[in-house]
Amino acid sequence: MASEITVRRRKRRRMERLWLPALYLAPTLVLLWAFDIYPIFLSAWMSLWRWGIQPEEFIGLDNYIRIFEQIGSRPGGAPGEVGQSLMVTGFYVLGTVPATIVIAFVIANLLNSKVRFLGALRTAYFVPYITSTVAAGLAFVWLLNPQVGVLNSLMEWFGLPAQQWLLDPEPIVPKLMGAVGIGWPDGAPGFLAGPSVALVCVMAFSVWNTLGFAVVIILAGLITIDPQVKEAARMDGVNSWQMATRITMPLVSPTLFLLLVVSTIRSFQSFNEVYVLTSGGGYGAGAGSPLDSTLTLPVLIFRHLYERPSSVGFAAALSMLLFLLLLIVTLVQFRFAERRVHYD
Amino acid sequence: MALHTIENTTGAPTIVRSPAGPPKKSARTHAAQRWRRKAGRVILYVALIAGAVVMLFPFFWMISSSLKTFQEVNLSPPTMLPSDPQWSNYAEAWEGPPSGFGRYFLNSLIVAVLGTALQLVTGITAAYAFARMKFRFNNLLFMVVLATMMIPFEARIVPNYVLIRQIPLAGGNDLFGDGGSGLYDTYAGMILPGVAGAFAIFLLRQAFMAVPRDYWDAIRMDGASHWTFLWRVLVPMTMPAVLTVVLFGFIGRWNELLWPLIATQSEAIRPVQLGLMAFSGDEGSLYHLLMAATTLVAIPGIIFFLFVQRRFVEGLTAFGVKG
Amino acid sequence: MSMSKKAALPSFLLASTLLVTSCSGGGAGASEDATASTESIEGMELPEGVEIDFWHIQATIYGEAITEMVQEFNATNEWGIVVNESFKGSYQELNQAVRASLAGGGAPDVSMAYENDTLEYVANDVIVPLDPYLESEQYGVSDEDMGDLVDGVLARQRVEAYNGSTLSWPHGNSSMGMYYNADIFAEAGIDAPPADWDEFLEQARQVKDETGLPYSAMGTGKNGIYYNMLRSKGIDPYDPGAATTEFTSPESIESLELLALLFEEELVYTAADTEQEFTNERTATELGTTARTSTKIEQIEDRFQWSVALPPQESAEPITQLYGGNHVILSSDDPEQELASWLFMRWFADTDAQSIYAARTGYSPAVESALDTELLSTNYEENPQKAEAFDNVFVNAQIMPPTAAGNAIDDMVTGIVEEVVLGRLTPQEAAERMDAETTSLLASAPQN
């Protein structure tokens, strides 16, 4: 009797181990295969071709060789399109992700305390995320207008020189150094000069635009924290700084980790912000202007996909590059996070 | 794969690290503390409100522009407020696009509600399997799911279009997907590609993993199944995460632009974002109408957020559970 | 775990078949042999109610005009053809939709296309050449009607790179004109827009001295203005057929020096939206597309006197940039669909439709006879600047010779001209770089 029950239970358990996860995962995996995973395989295949509207010629790894060639310099000494876009993407990710998460963490903490008009305040911080990028972008373009924008009026008011903002391809570091009277050393590597003023403006827009997303994610994590834990800590005389860093941070670390991973991925893929803010320059000035100083990798992919002949294969190779970069970055994040993220 | 180490471990909810030891208190420090707390409050409000003003400015700008005439909206330097508010812009914008905005709103609502519901259900079950079930390749599969977030959007458009058109037995297609137009120009075609969302699964998995294993052990004793545990215990306990998925799912759907543009042709089923495009083109834009229409289109998202952020807290207290 | 295999297998099979079909270019409908000849078209009877899909990029008043025109065609055409128009977003989005449809089926019968796209489409055998239709007695275009087309507009439908074929038919066109604020001109003591580029510089200094205002605003894409300078001096920047360039010619160096000087002396500045600078009276002139004449009329109202002139010229043959798109027929292997498409396209480029288009929007009509229609003549009387845009500017407009490398060259030139304007490169250095890069881009571009 008893052994029969054990056998049946063991059988049931094995069934569960086999079939239950399969059942729970099936819809997701089927859909992901059809709409996401299969396309990336197709992309990998296309990247081996010269491909316009149809496959034109099988060229093996030539597209990848072209990527490497275009990392290097152009005739004038500037980096090639791919090299430039990798640098711009690097600046962009490093400039937006940490800033967004830190600011969002502070705001979410403030919004999680007992304040009046909580609903209204939370909504205020979330509204930019809902507002269409185009509408918000137009408002920003005007704020940053070199001739009549509000920002230049403010600069003037503070006695600072007016700037070209979104139209300025000059890198920011030499500019800031120049402002305090230090010259930029000749022959210093280009990437040390930092992002262009135009790119910094786009990054600021991006932080503003995605802040609401990050705040809501963190809030959802904060709300789940047992208030008694905090109360107990407060009784022990923990100050706000300690509360944030020693209590809250570890407790929401799974959320923060998720946010880090997701924000990094999104930041690497950012296209809309760049497109809306920097392609308004009239005929011939596509996204990425001025002087390709806002040319992120997705913008370069876009350029090759639609504005270059028979470049679909090359665009696919660039997509693979972006995909692999993201895969590596995410794996590194997981590896580093495993020791720091606390579940439970 | 590095993932196994951050899997859920058992244990009751505890403070992870003990804070610095309690300082000694005296009456004087007590008064000083109270004063400091008050000052802190003021600073808090000032900071929060200043931040909110910065965040809201472009939205204010959008509404202000939506009430200007064509001439005024192109003035530069611009006027802060419309000199003579043109409420008729809203009526004009509503009637502007070929099918009228009413139809676009209905279409978007259908796509957003169905799309979000499907994403939620598939996301919850998948996240549960990843967070709570032991099977081989769990971590590997999860990484694969996560990797789908990294696929550039541009790489998906054409394959998705081909697939949608070749779905067998739909839209006049035969068993092999030939002959008809498949799910092209249908709601289903618009909805399907976005249903499986790695972000939703990731978020829910993190939330599910944070729930102590004790709950499962307890309910398991009563003979409950995974299904019951998931829907009766886990989902209510992780309401903020579930609502976050719903919120972002809805807003993501509502703001979708490129895929519906490619996947549809008739104005009768197109969503609001395509309606907005009627006001801006390669040969110039009608900013005043664009802004009026954009404001209208943003309203459902804001209402939805207000609703969700209230439920954030209520959902938790209603079930009497605290993480 | 077995589930992954089980779930993946059917979809893998499905996907593999897709891979095969999409890689063999299955849906692309290559139809070299199905190409219609004049004989097969002659005498072909169209059944009542042939439906065709038409994809375009036009929104705002342009989209409304198209809707109006399509309705008019659907209501009045003698064959009962029904055109279903569909707005497909920006130019890149349309391009994306067309590519997807060529891979997966459902391509439109008529689509808008620029010359560069047409070149790529024709290389993939998806374009129906129009010559058999043009030559047809029954469905063709008479010599008289051919003569009615504005020269530059007709020329762009049969450019050299098409190897003697006519591959597209007019949609809507505009050109690069020089807008000027007559009030600021009067204040500075200038009575007419500049005839050549020396006078351009002279006037720029004069306006700065007399009024303190800059003479002109330019966008971040200055390649168009630079090209216009070169062409007004009688040379083409590059020749795709011979793979040669004129970037290092004296005329080119001269043009780059002028641009550098204009910015150095702060007579001209870079702005995000040059139209806004002009309509808000912050600059005396603007070099821009004449398509914006209608919106300028609305924005400026009576605030100041203004007009549009041909940009400065320095050779016997006046010339300026021609803008806008064309229509092409994407082959459907169905002669009736293709004939119906042609009949719609022919109508679209003819007097009635073009007069509607030109009256409702800022485009200039493709045919001169549209000017005689009541609709357009009334409209031009009420909006004299639109008439000036046609008479002064549009009739002189020609496109640059198209090449598959065109966009890449434009981007490169845009960048280098910007560096000249910023003072990072001397005109000579810039010219040499443009020459080297263009030569290699032209050499590596796919030949048709």
Side-chain angles (χ1 to χ4, degrees):
Chain A
M1 265 300 268
S3 67
E4 208 174 291
I5 292 174
T6 335
V7 168
R8 208 187 299 157
R9 193 178 286 163
R10 205 176 288 157
K11 222 177 195 175
R12 204 183 89 183
R13 195 165 293 165
R14 201 186 303 151
M15 271 270 290
E16 276 190 352
R17 287 211 167 177
L18 274 170
W19 284 105
L20 268 185
L23 232 89
Y24 276 56
L25 286 170
T28 294
L29 291 181
V30 169
L31 286 168
L32 281 181
W33 170 264
F35 293 112
D36 298 81
I37 301 170
Y38 154 65
I40 198 75
F41 281 121
L42 183 61
S43 222
W45 173 244
M46 287 167 85
S47 73
L48 304 176
W49 289 73
R50 207 173 73 143
W51 193 301
I53 287 168
Q54 304 164 33
E56 291 169 8
E57 190 191 349
F58 188 84
I59 52 171
L61 294 176
D62 278 12
N63 281 326
Y64 292 94
I65 294 168
R66 224 174 113 199
I67 287 182
F68 274 104
E69 284 169 0
Q70 292 196 12
I71 289 175
S73 61
R74 291 189 233 201
E81 267 187 344
V82 178
Q84 174 73 12
S85 77
L86 286 174
M87 195 169 79
V88 168
T89 310
F91 287 142
Y92 192 85
V93 173
L94 291 174
T96 54
V97 176
T100 309
I101 295 180
V102 169
I103 299 173
F105 183 73
V106 172
I107 292 175
N109 267 294
L110 296 181
L111 287 177
N112 195 38
S113 48
K114 287 197 182 90
V115 288
R116 277 165 206 262
F117 315 115
L118 195 60
L121 278 171
R122 281 182 186 163
T123 311
Y125 283 92
F126 193 64
V127 155
Y129 188 72
I130 307 177
T131 312
S132 91
T133 314
V134 176
L138 284 171
F140 262 75
V141 167
W142 170 71
L143 285 175
L144 297 170
N145 183 310
Q147 278 74 41
V148 293
V150 169
L151 212 58
N152 267 348
S153 310
L154 276 177
M155 295 288 281
E156 235 166 79
W157 195 74
F158 282 112
L160 297 165
Q163 298 295 320
Q164 284 286 90
W165 304 118
L166 285 167
L167 302 177
D168 191 349
E170 303 290 344
I172 187 119
V173 175
K175 201 152 190 153
L176 289 176
M177 283 167 64
V180 291
I182 309 170
W184 179 250
D186 280 336
F191 68 88
L192 281 181
S196 70
V197 175
L199 186 61
V200 172
C201 294
V202 179
M203 293 186 329
F205 174 77
S206 169
V207 170
W208 172 85
N209 198 28
T210 52
L211 199 60
F213 171 80
V215 167
V216 167
I217 300 269
I218 297 175
L219 258 180
L222 289 177
I223 284 170
T224 340
I225 296 177
D226 191 340
Q228 287 168 0
V229 175
K230 283 183 148 186
E231 202 40 54
R234 199 166 285 132
M235 297 289 269
D236 287 347
V238 170
N239 66 30
S240 340
W241 173 253
Q242 287 167 330
M243 182 77 91
T245 54
R246 302 254 176 107
I247 312 276
T248 318
M249 203 105 88
L251 283 175
V252 292
S253 60
T255 307
L256 289 178
F257 174 63
L258 167 129
L259 195 59
L260 176 70
V261 172
V262 174
S263 305
T264 308
I265 293 174
R266 288 196 175 178
S267 186
F268 263 99
Q269 295 182 338
S270 58
F271 172 81
N272 278 345
E273 300 89 332
V274 182
Y275 195 75
V276 169
L277 289 183
T278 68
S279 67
Y283 287 88
S289 66
L291 285 184
D292 286 353
S293 74
T294 63
L295 182 76
T296 59
L297 200 44
V299 174
L300 183 64
I301 293 174
F302 179 88
R303 191 181 269 186
H304 278 282
L305 212 44
Y306 304 115
E307 293 170 358
R308 299 279 196 272
S310 300
S311 257
V312 174
F314 186 62
L318 286 171
S319 299
M320 294 308 293
L321 173 70
L322 178 55
F323 178 68
L324 289 178
L325 267 178
L326 272 171
L327 209 58
I328 291 167
V329 168
T330 309
L331 282 173
V332 168
Q333 286 175 338
F334 267 90
R335 202 167 269 287
F336 274 96
E338 67 192 46
R339 268 167 286 142
R340 292 159 202 269
V341 174
H342 304 267
Y343 289 95
D344 269 3
Chain B
M1 193 65 38
L3 287 181
H4 61 280
T5 40
I6 50 171
E7 240 172 42
N8 188 23
T9 50
T10 54
T14 47
I15 304 175
V16 176
R17 286 176 202 171
S18 57
K24 298 254 183 292
K25 281 179 191 170
S26 69
R28 204 169 352 136
T29 53
H30 224 84
Q33 224 167 30
R34 206 177 306 152
W35 186 85
R36 212 189 296 160
R37 198 163 283 176
K38 215 168 223 172
R41 221 76 209 129
V42 173
I43 294 171
L44 172 71
Y45 273 107
V46 170
L48 276 178
I49 290 170
V53 168
V54 171
M55 297 305 277
L56 280 179
F57 180 78
F59 198 73
F60 155 77
W61 184 249
M62 187 169 90
I63 295 173
S64 165
S65 303
S66 75
L67 294 171
K68 293 176 179 176
T69 60
F70 179 73
Q71 286 77 27
E72 193 176 0
V73 86
N74 282 296
L75 275 188
S76 128
T79 48
M80 203 43 89
L81 290 167
S83 55
D84 178 18
Q86 305 288 309
W87 297 101
S88 60
N89 283 350
Y90 281 84
E92 203 177 322
W94 186 264
E95 297 297 333
S99 302
F101 253 104
R103 184 75 213 183
Y104 293 105
F105 265 88
L106 182 68
N107 294 335
S108 273
L109 213 60
I110 292 171
V111 171
V113 169
L114 282 178
T116 309
L118 286 171
Q119 181 178 62
L120 191 64
V121 174
T122 57
I124 284 177
T125 54
Y128 183 77
F130 284 130
R132 290 283 165 171
M133 290 177 175
K134 283 208 169 77
F135 54 94
R136 282 168 70 194
F137 307 125
N138 181 329
N139 287 329
L140 182 69
L141 265 181
F142 178 66
M143 210 57 208
V144 168
V145 168
L146 214 55
T148 60
M149 262 202 287
M150 303 159 201
I151 298 170
F153 182 69
E154 305 288 356
R156 287 190 299 227
I157 293 259
V158 174
N160 285 0
Y161 176 89
V162 175
L163 188 65
I164 284 293
R165 280 199 73 99
Q166 300 189 345
I167 298 268
L169 303 178
N173 276 351
D174 59 22
L175 197 58
F176 304 101
D178 287 331
S181 57
L183 294 178
Y184 176 69
D185 213 19
T186 64
Y187 289 118
M190 259 191 284
I191 292 169
L192 270 183
V195 166
F199 168 68
I201 295 169
F202 190 14
L203 188 81
L204 291 165
R205 173 184 173 269
Q206 299 290 84
F208 290 168
M209 281 171 75
V211 172
R213 213 180 157 80
D214 307 1
Y215 289 95
W216 168 237
D217 293 338
I219 203 169
R220 187 73 168 168
M221 294 290 224
D222 300 339
S225 65
H226 277 290
W227 191 253
T228 322
F229 175 65
L230 170 58
W231 295 101
R232 291 283 166 79
V233 179
L234 217 46
V235 168
M237 280 183 77
T238 53
M239 218 21 136
V242 172
L243 286 171
T244 309
V245 167
V246 172
L247 178 69
F248 290 125
F250 185 88
I251 288 172
R253 285 296 187 166
W254 192 264
N255 288 338
E256 239 179 357
L257 176 78
L258 199 51
W259 174 244
L261 188 69
I262 303 287
T264 65
Q265 160 147 359
S266 29
E267 295 297 330
I269 75 158
R270 286 185 157 182
V272 281
Q273 298 296 332
L274 301 198
L276 285 184
M277 293 177 91
F279 305 109
S280 133
D282 276 10
E283 298 290 2
S285 301
L286 303 166
Y287 287 131
H288 57 312
L289 298 182
L290 179 65
M291 292 298 163
T294 307
T295 309
L296 290 174
V297 165
I299 289 172
I302 294 172
I303 294 174
F304 201 76
F305 176 77
L306 282 171
F307 174 79
V308 166
Q309 71 102 12
R310 177 169 297 176
R311 289 281 178 277
F312 254 18
V313 192
E314 280 177 13
L316 278 178
T317 45
F319 285 91
V321 282
K322 285 160 191 149
Chain C
M1 175 69 213
S2 60
M3 61 73 29
S4 61
K5 268 180 226 153
K6 288 217 160 66
L9 192 65
S11 47
F12 179 77
L13 289 176
L14 175 67
S16 317
T17 55
L18 287 177
L19 197 69
V20 173
T21 47
S22 50
C23 290
S24 64
S31 63
E32 200 55 54
D33 20 277
T35 300
S37 63
T38 307
E39 297 82 64
S40 69
I41 290 162
E42 218 69 77
M44 194 160 108
E45 287 299 324
L46 267 188
E48 184 80 13
V50 175
E51 280 198 42
I52 58 169
D53 287 336
F54 165 43
W55 288 2
H56 63 84
I57 59 149
Q58 302 292 8
T60 67
I61 49 171
Y62 292 82
E64 286 168 22
I66 287 202
T67 307
E68 186 182 337
M69 289 150 77
V70 166
Q71 276 167 3
E72 172 99 10
F73 178 76
N74 287 348
T76 58
N77 82 81
E78 54 182 293
W79 309 277
I81 299 168
V82 179
V83 177
N84 300 312
E85 53 129 345
S86 186
F87 167 61
K88 282 287 174 180
S90 74
Y91 215 82
Q92 284 86 2
E93 286 156 351
L94 168 74
N95 204 318
Q96 197 162 35
V98 170
R99 277 166 196 280
S101 69
L102 288 172
D109 299 284
V110 179
S111 176
M112 280 183 67
Y114 288 132
E115 283 77 9
N116 289 349
D117 306 303
T118 308
L119 279 174
E120 194 163 5
Y121 292 150
V122 77
N124 285 279
D125 287 332
V126 294
I127 289 268
V128 178
L130 304 179
D131 304 281
Y133 298 105
L134 283 164
E135 287 154 19
S136 151
E137 282 285 315
Q138 198 178 348
Y139 300 115
V141 177
S142 68
D143 288 347
E144 192 190 333
D145 286 348
M146 289 293 254
D148 191 21
L149 282 158
V150 173
D151 293 343
V153 175
L154 178 59
R156 72 183 298 188
Q157 319 301 332
R158 37 177 63 157
V159 294
E160 245 180 72
Y162 295 170
N163 295 324
S165 300
T166 310
L167 297 182
S168 62
W169 210 238
H171 169 83
N173 294 274
S174 60
S175 49
M176 183 190 273
M178 183 168 171
Y179 292 99
Y180 61 95
N181 182 325
D183 290 358
I184 296 178
F185 268 23
E187 200 186 325
I190 300 167
D191 49 9
D196 57 35
W197 292 103
D198 286 337
E199 202 182 345
F200 187 94
L201 178 63
E202 246 167 64
Q203 290 192 357
R205 287 176 171 152
Q206 202 172 333
V207 167
K208 186 89 182 174
D209 288 344
E210 299 292 327
T211 68
L213 283 174
Y215 187 62
S216 198
M218 294 181 187
T220 42
K222 300 177 179 69
N223 61 326
I225 289 169
Y226 166 63
Y227 288 160
N228 231 33
M229 285 180 167
L230 287 184
R231 299 177 82 200
S232 70
K233 293 170 194 282
I235 59 168
D236 275 329
Y238 53 83
D239 179 350
T244 55
T245 92
E246 295 285 345
F247 287 120
T248 49
S249 64
E251 290 89 346
S252 163
I253 307 276
E254 204 176 278
S255 304
L256 290 170
E257 278 167 353
L258 173 63
L259 277 169
L261 194 63
L262 286 168
F263 278 85
E264 201 185 295
E265 295 186 17
E266 294 182 356
L267 306 172
V268 171
Y269 62 108
T270 301
D273 182 344
T274 56
E275 177 168 46
Q276 211 175 47
E277 301 302 307
F278 180 76
T279 57
N280 287 287
E281 302 166 73
R282 280 198 295 277
T283 170
T285 70
E286 181 205 358
L287 287 159
T289 164
T290 52
R292 294 296 182 89
T293 307
S294 56
T295 49
K296 280 194 176 65
I297 292 172
E298 267 191 79
Q299 282 175 41
I300 297 169
E301 291 179 309
D302 305 326
R303 283 187 287 129
F304 59 87
Q305 296 293 311
W306 61 283
S307 185
V308 56
L310 191 66
Q313 298 294 326
E314 299 187 351
S315 77
E317 243 176 283
I319 191 166
T320 188
Q321 300 276 101
L322 178 61
Y323 297 127
N326 306 306
H327 289 148
V328 294
I329 303 182
L330 297 173
S331 53
S332 56
D333 286 335
D334 179 344
E336 285 169 1
Q337 297 276 116
E338 289 173 0
L339 177 58
S341 302
W342 159 248
L343 291 169
F344 170 63
M345 274 163 52
R346 186 182 71 168
W347 181 85
F348 200 103
D350 208 355
T351 319
D352 291 343
Q354 288 291 314
S355 65
I356 297 177
Y357 215 4
R360 298 278 181 269
T361 71
Y363 282 153
S364 293
V367 284
E368 302 205 22
S369 60
L371 298 174
D372 305 329
T373 60
E374 204 192 318
L375 178 66
L376 196 56
S377 58
T378 325
N379 182 268
Y380 275 11
E381 251 166 57
E382 287 162 5
N383 303 288
Q385 287 96 346
K386 282 173 79 172
E388 281 153 15
F390 184 91
D391 295 334
N392 298 345
V393 189
F394 187 68
V395 291
N396 300 306
Q398 296 276 348
I399 59 160
M400 295 258 292
T403 153
N407 287 331
I409 296 175
D410 286 355
D411 283 353
M412 180 271 299
V413 170
T414 300
I416 295 179
V417 170
E418 196 65 32
E419 296 202 52
V420 171
V421 160
L422 291 169
R424 289 180 179 182
L425 286 177
T426 66
Q428 185 65 39
E429 288 165 347
E432 279 162 18
R433 264 178 65 183
M434 290 193 283
D435 181 61
E437 294 214 24
T438 307
T439 309
S440 85
L441 283 169
L442 284 174
S444 62
Q447 299 299 314
N448 294 290

